[in-house]
């Protein structure tokens, strides 16, 4: 069993992560139902604008580099290419577009890898100017940080081993050992509705769930549909199954104290989409695993 798991780990793609921490292996009891999330308009954001006198934008320009929180373990979204040593992907292309708008140079940028569970703290503590890291806009998160307008429409879906022959969302969870990333929308969703899971393991990053699945220590993962497709691209032994649940939008996370930067990013997003940058990035990174048509993912 372990030999087979090791072979799978070796065959994983360039975004493969190191094995999860020991703490991540400890399964937690299935979470009890939590109160339903409050409702708000997650698509609402500042009007697009380029304010040359905005305090946050001026500070970034004076520094000479945009500091962006990213992932390096999400294949096709934000991963370190072993051939180039560079962090690349759909989210990374967007970060370069924002840097280009500020400096006229897409490479005037400093990437800081931020685990899923630390994204909000990294923004609130000023460790990064913004985060492009498949971050879902939620009402709870909007209480702590600001978001750009949505740049990707998504949802959540179960990832399971093909050998399990699971065909529905209900089958994917009932009586099975599930895995989610800490402080993720998937963790919140299973707290809201545990779906009969036997246990839920909470890890630092969603790719850790893939490693645990390869080791036979969990049975199913709940993650963003886009990230699930990336996991399937890395490991041909797993697949997405069932319906997409909890429809959601991804946004660029920014400090509430930087409204001018939010407006600036929204202008970049408008230009990025109308100028074809969004579609070119989708075609390059995501179309091979998520389909040639991007219509269902456009916010």
């Amino acid at each position: 069993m372990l030999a087979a798991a090791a072979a799978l780990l070796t065959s994983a793609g360039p975004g493969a992560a190191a094995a999860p921490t020991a703490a991540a292996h400890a399964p937690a009891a299935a979470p009890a139902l939590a109160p339903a999330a409050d409702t708000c308009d997650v698509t609402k954001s500042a009007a697009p604008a380029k304010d040359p006198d905005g305090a946050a934008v001026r500070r970034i320009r004076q520094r000479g580099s945009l500091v962006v929180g990213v992932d390096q373990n999400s294949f096709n979204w934000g991963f370190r290419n072993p051939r180039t040593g560079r962090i690349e992907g759909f989210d990374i292309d967007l970060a370069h577009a924002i840097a280009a708008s500020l400096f006229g140079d897409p490479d005037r940028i400093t990437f800081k890898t931020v685990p899923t569970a630390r994204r909000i703290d990294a923004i609130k503590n000023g460790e990064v100017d913004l985060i492009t890291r498949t971050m879902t806009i939620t009402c709870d998160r909007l209480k702590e940080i600001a978001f750009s307008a949505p740049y990707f429409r998504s949802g959540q879906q179960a990832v399971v081993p093909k050998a399990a022959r699971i065909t529905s969302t209900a089958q994917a969870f009932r009586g099975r050992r599930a895995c989610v990333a800490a402080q993720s929308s998937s963790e919140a969703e299973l707290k809201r509705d545990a779906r009969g899971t036997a246990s839920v393991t909470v890890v630092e990053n969603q790719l850790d769930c893939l490693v645990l699945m390869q080791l036979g220590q969990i049975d199913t993962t709940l993650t963003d549909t886009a990230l699930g497709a990336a996991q399937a691209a890395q490991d041909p032994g797993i697949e997405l199954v069932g319906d997409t649940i909890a429809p959601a939008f991804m946004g660029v996370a920014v400090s509430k104290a930087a409204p001018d930067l939010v407006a600036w990013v929204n202008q970049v997003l408008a230009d990025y989409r109308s100028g074809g940058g969004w579609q070119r990035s989708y075609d390059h990174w995501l179309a091979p695993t998520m389909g040639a048509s991007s219509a269902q993912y456009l916010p």
Side-chain angles (χ1 to χ4, degrees), residues 3-103:
L8 277 174
L9 287 168
T10 301
S11 66
T21 61
H25 288 264
L33 289 179
D38 53 355
T39 57
C40 68
D41 183 1
V42 298
T43 66
K44 186 177 180 180
S45 185
K50 285 189 175 181
D51 178 6
D53 297 320
V57 170
R58 185 168 60 247
R59 183 177 64 253
I60 293 167
R61 282 180 154 166
Q62 288 172 345
R63 185 199 303 136
S65 178
L66 177 69
V67 182
V68 183
V70 298
D71 195 356
Q72 65 173 351
N73 294 314
S74 292
F75 189 42
N76 292 333
W77 286 86
F79 72 101
R80 190 174 295 280
N81 187 328
R83 292 185 295 274
T84 65
R86 291 170 58 91
I87 298 179
E88 302 175 348
F90 186 84
D91 278 339
I92 307 305
D93 284 354
L94 175 56
H96 282 297
I98 297 171
S101 75
L102 290 164
F103 302 108

Side-chain angles (χ1 to χ4, degrees), residues 122-294:
I123 285 289
K124 294 176 72 173
N125 296 339
E127 298 171 41
V128 297
D129 296 315
L130 50 85
I131 285 181
T132 58
R133 194 189 180 287
T134 57
M135 194 166 183
T136 301
I137 308 169
T138 70
C139 297
D140 282 344
R141 288 171 180 166
L142 281 168
K143 295 173 183 174
E144 300 191 72
I145 60 174
F147 277 95
S148 71
Y151 68 86
F152 202 88
R153 182 193 296 268
S154 187
Q156 296 175 47
Q157 203 166 355
V159 180
V160 299
K162 288 181 178 177
R165 300 184 182 279
I166 293 170
T167 59
S168 70
T169 302
Q171 272 186 302
F173 292 102
R174 184 161 300 282
R176 299 184 188 276
R177 301 165 297 171
C179 182
V180 293
Q183 304 296 314
S184 66
S185 298
S186 300
E187 182 187 24
E189 178 62 22
L190 282 189
K191 285 181 177 177
R192 190 190 68 79
D193 182 354
R195 290 179 164 77
T197 51
S199 66
V200 176
T201 296
V202 181
V203 297
E204 191 171 60
N205 291 298
Q206 53 87 26
L207 197 61
D208 293 339
C209 290
L210 175 60
V211 177
L212 294 180
M213 188 175 291
Q214 291 168 332
L215 293 171
Q217 296 182 9
I218 58 105
D219 304 309
T220 185
T221 295
L222 183 63
T223 188
D224 187 277
T225 299
L227 296 176
Q231 288 193 16
Q234 287 181 261
D235 184 345
I238 67 165
E239 61 183 347
L240 286 161
V241 296
D243 300 325
T244 299
I245 60 176
F249 295 96
M250 297 178 189
V252 179
V254 184
S255 169
K256 279 180 174 287
D260 61 311
L261 183 57
V262 177
W264 184 286
V265 170
N266 285 341
Q267 183 65 56
V268 174
L269 288 174
D271 296 342
Y272 191 54
R273 184 169 167 176
S274 65
W278 189 101
Q279 187 63 48
R280 286 191 293 274
S281 185
Y282 178 89
D283 290 343
H284 182 77
W285 296 110
L286 306 181
T289 55
M290 301 188 71
S293 174
S294 62

